[in-house]
Amino acid sequence: MNWLRRIPFRIQILLAAGTVLIIIVAGFTYAHWRALDEALLRAAEREALHYTRQLDTLARQALLTHDYEQLQDRLQALLGGETVAFAVVLDEDGRPVASYGWQDSTQALPPHGAQLEWHGRPVRVWYHSVASTAGGEPISFGSLVLGISLTPLETGRERLILSTALLLLFSLALGGVLLDGVARRLARRLVALAELSQTLAAGDLSRRAEVSGSDEVSVLAQSLNALADAVAARIDELRHRIEYDALTGLHSRIYFDEALDNLLQRYEPGRIWVCAIDLDHFAAVNDSCGHEAGDRVLRDVARLMEEIIPPRVEQAVLAHHDADEFAACWVGTSEDAPNEALAREIGAKILAHPITDNGLNLTVAASIGLVRADRVPSTVADLKIAADIASYVAKQLGGNRVVNYLPTHPWVERRRREIELLPVLLNAIRTEAFEPWVQRIVPVGEGRLHAEILMRLVTERGERLTPGVFLSAAERFQLMPRIDRIVVRKVMADLGRRLAENRPWPADVISLNVSGQTLSDEGWVEYLEALLREHGIPPERLVFEITESTVIEQTEVAVAFITRMRGLGAAIALDDFGSGTSSFGYLRRFTADYIKADGQFVRHVHERREDRVIVQTMVSLARLMRMATIAEFVENDAIIATLRELGVDYLQGYAVHKPQPLSEL
């Protein structure tokens, strides 16, 4: 160290000061670099969670319905921007079915948590399993792979490096003017700055360096304070973007979940209410007035919620979840009436709010679901599901109303049962556990014996569920096309084997039900025709039953199917005839062979004059239009006698034949 003694003391002070400054700046920079790095990584993770939640429902529905083209379109529309570098949806076998930004389908996807360069951008990879856990073990539909851009992190690092370099140069220059007389005071102040850097490194960004004058060390302290302020501001900005919705100014879904969880920890569940608000027919506003008008409506709804809810309750959190969906939670009284009144006031204000654009005057209504936290398991997920169920019930009942979630409410019980049945249905589809059953349809006079194909869902415990138990859930989750394909394939294979082995069918004519969802399923008709050819089934021995509601709601699709099947030689039956409002009027557009009188008119036809008149009218109309009539739900001899008298052509019901497995007939 003799060489150090030969250096002038002033230079020693400069070197010492420069060394200390470098250590301070480096330590401070490293601490803040890490803080900024962690904050941005957390932000990226929250962005991944946000997009995962948005895409989970879309991916689940697409994986269930195999509607990958719509999923691809939704991915392109939803993920346009710089946040998501790529997104890939995989089916349960790991095959890509839809993607955004991932062009090479043969390229192996990076593992979860991987960080890589993607088209010149740093990207971090998240995996998410698209699955259902309702009612049992998790059932995986597939998975979702997201690549979240970390470009803001790199930008922050570059700025920090530049700031550090400038600050270091500036500090070293200041050290050159230090004199011997200020060495001790300089040392004390530098030690204070070092202690401050350690405090900031520990995460306390509220501390600042003391600035006692305008000398060089004070300038350095100001620079450190400015850097700390910039980092804190950037973190606050990121937090605001995560916690608030940019369009409405309400809280985001992420913040809402965290706030609701905090309320559940602080207050009695009997005082906590969760509200789900779904705007009715909001798409009509966008279609009629444009998306700018739609955005104004969403902002107005948010303002109405802010004006009505917080002044009435102790604690309130308002959020805009997605498109036309809002949510609120608050701490109120345990009584239903005042909280229901508050929700109804929100709905009334929304309905009364005018929407005027280019001469159009529109209004929107709201289907509002309400739930008190002690009526379901008090977790955030369970409460949100319950509120969504109540909102769905309100919409199913016609919209523009409030439904308070009660476990005993018939609609709520039905919706909950549908959710519980989802994993059962998915497992049954995976294992093809649908068993064809047969119920014969007997001619009253001369005619061929008919039989309708029914089905039973065989559970893992061997229970046989009738369609009345699971059909509504299958329709709710768009599963009927997959179920219909399984049942029809099994029936066609059985009938084909009987033909090949010269064994009789259960009846001369077999009736097959086709749901409205299946009629709209792309490729259904071609699939059906391929089965007929494969198994050598004569179409003239088949009748396809379509419900009246399907014909009314999907007129063009129904007409095309009827025309194509009758062209092959098959017959058509209109099921549940008389249950709709257009039963007689739409017959002018269709060429059918049979009409099946709805069971509500048959059960009491021997007792009620009005039912007798309705059935007689159906018989007369059918004869005029050269169709045969089938009466279902024939349950006793008195009904049979009355139907014979009225001239019904075919009888179906427990009094004629109880359903049996196809394999037993």
Side-chain angles (χ1 to χ4, degrees), residues 7 68 103 150 164 247 276 286 316 335 365 393 444 456 637 650:
I7 299 176
Y68 302 139
Q103 303 299 329
L150 300 180
T164 302
L247 176 62
N286 287 328
E335 292 82 12
V393 171
V444 174
R456 300 292 185 265
D637 292 338
Y650 292 90

Side-chain angles (χ1 to χ4, degrees), residues 39-47 50 235-246 250-256 258:
L40 289 174
L41 284 176
R42 286 195 299 270
E45 185 173 359
R46 291 185 179 180
E47 289 288 344
H50 169 71
I235 292 174
D236 289 341
E237 179 186 350
L238 292 173
R239 184 181 296 112
H240 187 274
R241 291 177 57 187
I242 294 171
E243 295 180 351
Y244 288 88
D245 173 58
L250 299 182
H251 285 295
S252 66
R253 187 192 300 268
I254 296 174
Y255 182 90
F256 181 84
E258 295 175 352

Side-chain angles (χ1 to χ4, degrees), residues 36 81 89 101 111 184 198 301 374 388 415 434 446 477 524 563 567 649:
L36 180 61
V89 179
R184 187 171 297 180
Q198 294 175 356
V301 170
D374 61 345
D388 287 339
R415 175 66 171 145
F434 292 94
E446 295 182 359
F477 296 109
W524 158 250
T563 302
D649 299 298

Side-chain angles (χ1 to χ4, degrees), residues 6 23 75 111 162 191 220 249 276 300 304 312 316 326 383 425 429 460 489 497 538 598 602 623 630:
R6 293 194 295 268
I23 294 173
L75 287 178
L162 178 60
V191 168
L220 175 60
D300 290 345
L304 293 173
R312 306 283 191 84
F326 293 82
L383 283 171
L425 283 166
I429 291 172
E460 293 180 323
R489 185 173 66 253
R497 282 193 299 270
D598 190 80
V602 177
R623 287 177 177 172
I630 302 172

Side-chain angles (χ1 to χ4, degrees), residues 453-474:
I453 297 296
L454 308 175
M455 64 175 164
R456 300 292 185 265
L457 188 158
V458 183
T459 68
E460 293 180 323
R461 294 181 295 180
E463 299 173 316
R464 285 180 169 84
L465 304 182
T466 63
V469 175
F470 64 85
L471 201 59
S472 64

Side-chain angles (χ1 to χ4, degrees), residues 285 288-290 293 296 354-363:
V285 176
S288 302
C289 303
R296 288 199 301 272
I355 304 170
T356 303
D357 188 86
N358 294 329
L360 290 175
N361 294 310
L362 303 174
T363 58

